[in-house]
Amino acid sequence: MNEDIQALLDAMAEALKQRLDARGTPDPVMVGIHTGGVWVAEALHRRLALGQPLGQLDISFYRDDFSRIGMHPQVKPSNLPFSVDDRHIILVDDVLFTGRTIRAALNEIFDFGRPASVTLAVLVERDGRELPIEAQVVGKHLSLRPDQQVKLRGPDPLRLEIVSTGGDQ
């Protein structure tokens, strides 16, 4: 997949800036979801020159399929170097597919406190939503077959790859 990731990130940063300005959002904080979401968040954080440090979430223990996937994932500690109470949070992930990762991330954020708002920004949004979750800022929309996934590879350089999951379609 030959995408200009930097151009997608530039467009996302501009869309976020416009959204924050239009809403008069004071001093937002940004949180990336491990691993690809952190890579995207780092790039957006730099482009927006946000004052607060970047937060990072590892939602492994919050996933609703954790008992099915078991203890195999590499769990990294979450790091939110700010209070989330009454803060405007920009939550960033690489790919929005079923919505389950975002649901898990929201559960974890609310365990830290009660934010004033959460804006979801994703590099890629694809079809196949299982939960009513919608991104406010999207770099690219993709329609893929059920046996395909999109993966963000990186961190340097960032690149998108469509991979087959071995399905029969």
Side-chain angles (χ1 to χ4, degrees), residues 56-113:
Q56 301 179 11
L57 286 181
D58 185 318
I59 52 91
S60 297
F61 290 123
Y62 285 80
R63 293 185 58 97
D64 59 5
D65 60 355
F66 185 76
S67 61
R68 282 191 297 184
I69 60 175
M71 293 296 289
H72 298 106
Q74 284 195 321
V75 179
K76 298 171 178 56
S78 291
N79 177 26
L80 296 180
F82 42 76
S83 170
V84 302
D85 285 323
D86 298 317
R87 297 303 294 270
H88 296 278
I89 296 175
I90 303 167
L91 180 61
V92 181
D93 203 8
D94 54 351
V95 178
L96 174 56
F97 178 26
T98 64
R100 293 179 183 280
T101 296
I102 303 306
R103 184 212 48 86
L106 290 169
N107 284 351
E108 184 168 356
I109 288 170
F110 275 84
D111 279 352
F112 280 91

Side-chain angles (χ1 to χ4, degrees), residues 89-163:
I89 296 175
I90 303 167
L91 180 61
V92 181
D93 203 8
D94 54 351
V95 178
L96 174 56
F97 178 26
T98 64
R100 293 179 183 280
T101 296
I102 303 306
R103 184 212 48 86
L106 290 169
N107 284 351
E108 184 168 356
I109 288 170
F110 275 84
D111 279 352
F112 280 91
R114 188 179 187 279
S117 69
V118 178
T119 298
L120 178 58
V122 297
L123 183 63
V124 175
E125 177 182 65
R126 64 160 294 180
D127 50 335
R129 206 79 65 249
E130 296 173 359
L131 300 175
I133 292 180
E134 174 184 27
Q136 287 73 46
V137 175
V138 176
K140 181 171 185 65
H141 300 272
L142 284 178
S143 290
L144 299 175
R145 296 187 323 252
D147 67 323
Q148 292 179 314
Q149 288 184 347
V150 61
K151 298 281 186 184
L152 179 65
R153 305 287 188 203
D156 191 29
L158 291 176
R159 64 192 187 289
L160 290 170
E161 203 175 280
I162 295 177
V163 296

